[in-house]
Amino acid sequence: MSGTLLMALLMGLTGSLHCAGMCGAIMWAMPFYTFKGLARVLAFALYHLLRISAYAGMALFLFSFRDLFQPGIQQVISIGLGVLLLAAGIISFLPAMGTTISLPWAGFVKKQLAVFVGEAHMGKIAVSGFLNGLLPCGLVYVALSGSTQ
């Protein structure tokens, strides 16, 4: 257990600049400045509560399947997916391929997030937080992989 917590802490510390660069722009676009006093605190809390709830929901979903994998099979799947991710990364740098690789839900989430970001309404701020939690992020996926252990 302490090894898992140490790994989470180290991942958070080393990935903080990545998070600030990728999600920081979304935070700047949010209309928290339109709220005053307690309403502003509530808006921040609601946004982050729903964002973290999206992460927790994905972890719970993955955790529910962890008994389906035997350690030997899981090792083969992990290596296979790692090779697939490496190949996808290499292909994305080749100009001759001319294709981009994206997750199936990424476009939908980005379009919906564009609708809700910037709206000074508590419900829309909550939805923006949840949708931000669903954006593709390698650091989130690495952390989610821990839920299958």
Side-chain angles (χ1 to χ4, degrees), residues 47 69-70 77 109 114-115 131 143:
Y47 178 86
F69 295 105
Q70 300 296 326
I77 290 172
V109 171
V115 170
L131 289 172

Side-chain angles (χ1 to χ4, degrees), residues 55-119:
Y55 300 149
M58 289 188 286
L60 186 61
F61 178 77
L62 288 174
F63 180 78
S64 67
F65 291 103
R66 74 184 185 110
D67 290 336
L68 295 178
F69 295 105
Q70 300 296 326
I73 296 172
Q74 189 172 2
Q75 185 177 19
V76 170
I77 290 172
S78 295
I79 292 170
L81 289 176
V83 168
L84 184 65
L85 285 172
L86 183 61
I90 291 170
I91 288 172
S92 70
F93 285 109
L94 298 176
M97 298 304 283
T99 60
T100 59
I101 299 168
S102 66
L103 297 172
W105 65 86
F108 173 78
V109 171
K110 288 177 188 176
K111 285 178 188 175
Q112 294 304 311
L113 190 58
V115 170
F116 291 101
V117 166
E119 296 288 329

Side-chain angles (χ1 to χ4, degrees), residues 8 25 29 32 34 39-40 42 45 48 50-51 54 56 74 76 79 84 87 97 102 109 114 119 121 124 134 137 146:
F32 297 119
T34 60
R40 182 180 287 180
L42 181 63
H48 290 296
L50 270 289
R51 181 180 56 82
Q74 189 172 2
V76 170
I79 292 170
L84 184 65
M97 298 304 283
S102 66
V109 171
E119 296 288 329
H121 182 272
K124 292 185 178 186
L134 296 178
C137 176

